[in-house]
Amino acid sequence: MDIRSQEYKQYVLNTLEEYRNNGKKTVLLFNDAYYPIIDGVVTVMHNFALSLMQHVNVIACVPAHNNDIVLQKYLVIGCKSTYYKFVNYDLAHPFGDKRFVKLMQQVKADYVHIHSPFTMGKFAVKYARKHNLPAVATFHSQFKRDFLRSTHSRLLTAILLSGVMRIFNSVQCVYTMHAYSKQTLISYGYKGEVKLLPNATSFTYPQNPQELIDNINAKYNLQGKQNVLLFVGRLTKLKNIFFIMDVLSELKKRDFPFHMVYVGDGPDGDELKKKANKLGLDNNITFAGKISDKTMLQAFYLRSDLFVFPSNYDVSSIVQIEAASQKLCGLYLKGSVTSCTVTDNETGFLCEENVEQYADKIVEILSDKDNLNRVRQGAFERLYITWQQVADKTYEDYLNLLPPKRK
């Protein structure tokens, strides 16, 4: 819906009126990205918002892509933005959008929760101060690493990181996923309270797993395929997808039977397919593309024997938890952030970032099905957590927050 239209304005005002009269408290969620531009933080915030609605009114304050906003079950208030194609992101302009500012003046909120520390984060901090609202934030990303890779300048990285930390140090508490990301946050200069809150999934284990497996077998010609390996995520070099391809080539040389499924798309997808063809792996690989259908993605997890995710980039990957929800365990790199929640040979498997050793580990894992099934069950019991559990815990925390003391 066009945020400039009278229809959209009336929709927002009507929903705000409903929120004021339903007896629930209201939480504002701020993020610097939003549909149709999708990244991990957008996915996290969206699923969190849907589950949080069990307890409170939820308003997401986000950039509108080309002045268009994607409506949800929760209220979405969009602001003007500029789209930068080379990074596939919108830069929000909340302070310069008079319509957005006027709509925000009509909001009666109780809590502010910031999911990114850029222009929307800055607006959120000022809004919370002006209205004397308690504010928290979630630390999702390794900003220093991302800034350095983008700018190739330690000075610019330090300046950008300083701006980010001003946002985090302005709130009463910061949530992050695990001990590693907590250490990263503190190393950036955060001085306040940190609470651990893992990412989660809305997936549940189905009552009809074999039916879903049969359907995905038929659709993608996976009947009879042995040792199905699965990767889910953006097809980008950052996620070590070419390392996987080298491992597959090594498995092929050993005549080890396998079939690889890549689920996802991304900027390096075409190059990856060319490499598969060059290595003679076309018949061993299925490129399923981006899968938006939840049931179909669930079926891929169910059908697969091992989740391969050798990423050194991700901080906390939702696909790791989705896999665990379907009793699928993964093979990760030792020392990677995503491996820090995994206990080797109990809830998953760990290996060095070495092609031959990674191939060795796959052969070892898939040659002992009894042990593999034990570890799969361990992943399900100890790594799987739902968004509703996360939302319930956060809501309890909200209730204990007090408005900041005026200086």
Side-chain angles (χ1 to χ4, degrees), residues 334-403:
K334 286 183 179 179
S336 66
V337 182
T338 52
S339 73
C340 75
T341 58
V342 175
T343 302
D344 192 22
N345 205 41
E346 295 294 334
T347 58
F349 299 96
L350 305 179
C351 183
E352 300 291 345
E353 189 176 2
N354 175 279
V355 170
E356 288 76 18
Q357 290 182 34
Y358 204 90
D360 288 341
K361 196 68 177 179
I362 289 174
V363 173
E364 175 190 326
I365 292 167
L366 296 177
S367 297
D368 188 347
K369 291 298 195 291
D370 288 341
N371 187 60
L372 174 59
N373 290 334
R374 180 185 64 81
V375 177
R376 288 168 68 122
Q377 185 65 28
F380 178 73
E381 293 175 358
R382 294 161 59 185
L383 296 181
Y384 171 38
I385 184 171
T386 68
W387 282 116
Q388 193 58 59
Q389 290 172 293
V390 169
D392 292 347
K393 173 63 173 64
T394 311
Y395 174 64
E396 291 178 7
D397 289 345
Y398 287 161
L399 294 177
N400 293 320
L401 289 173
L402 296 174

Side-chain angles (χ1 to χ4, degrees), residues 165 169 185-186 189-193:
M165 294 315 300
N169 280 313
L185 174 64
I186 293 171
Y190 179 67
K191 305 182 186 306
E193 182 182 8

Side-chain angles (χ1 to χ4, degrees), residues 52-159:
L52 197 59
M53 289 180 70
Q54 294 278 350
H55 303 289
V56 294
N57 301 314
V58 176
I59 302 175
C61 304
V62 294
H65 181 65
N66 294 329
N67 289 312
D68 187 67
I69 203 70
V70 178
L71 302 185
Q72 304 287 354
K73 292 180 180 179
Y74 50 87
L75 176 60
V76 184
I77 301 182
C79 71
K80 290 181 180 179
S81 67
T82 301
Y83 176 62
Y84 292 94
K85 187 176 181 179
F86 70 99
V87 290
N88 193 34
Y89 274 103
D90 293 304
L91 175 63
H93 306 301
F95 295 101
D97 186 343
K98 293 181 180 179
R99 293 185 185 89
F100 176 75
V101 172
K102 286 183 178 179
L103 287 176
M104 291 302 297
Q105 290 172 350
Q106 302 299 314
V107 174
K108 301 297 182 183
D110 297 281
Y111 310 105
V112 168
H113 193 147
I114 301 168
H115 281 270
S116 64
F118 301 108
T119 53
M120 294 305 294
K122 291 178 182 178
F123 185 93
V125 167
K126 290 193 174 183
Y127 186 92
R129 285 175 178 167
K130 179 178 179 180
H131 297 277
N132 201 37
L133 299 176
V136 298
T138 298
F139 177 73
H140 292 279
S141 305
Q142 297 190 64
F143 294 106
K144 184 176 182 179
R145 179 195 61 188
D146 293 341
F147 292 155
L148 191 57
R149 183 173 51 248
S150 298
T151 66
H152 305 289
S153 167
R154 294 189 181 277
L155 176 60
L156 286 175
T157 294
I159 293 171

Side-chain angles (χ1 to χ4, degrees), residues 188-224:
Y188 288 173
Y190 179 67
K191 305 182 186 306
E193 182 182 8
V194 183
K195 292 187 178 183
L196 299 185
L197 194 70
N199 284 332
T201 179
S202 57
F203 283 12
T204 57
Y205 194 79
Q207 295 181 340
N208 58 338
Q210 192 56 52
E211 180 183 337
L212 296 180
I213 291 171
D214 291 343
N215 289 341
I216 210 72
N217 277 341
K219 185 173 179 64
Y220 288 91
N221 194 29
L222 296 175
Q223 302 96 328

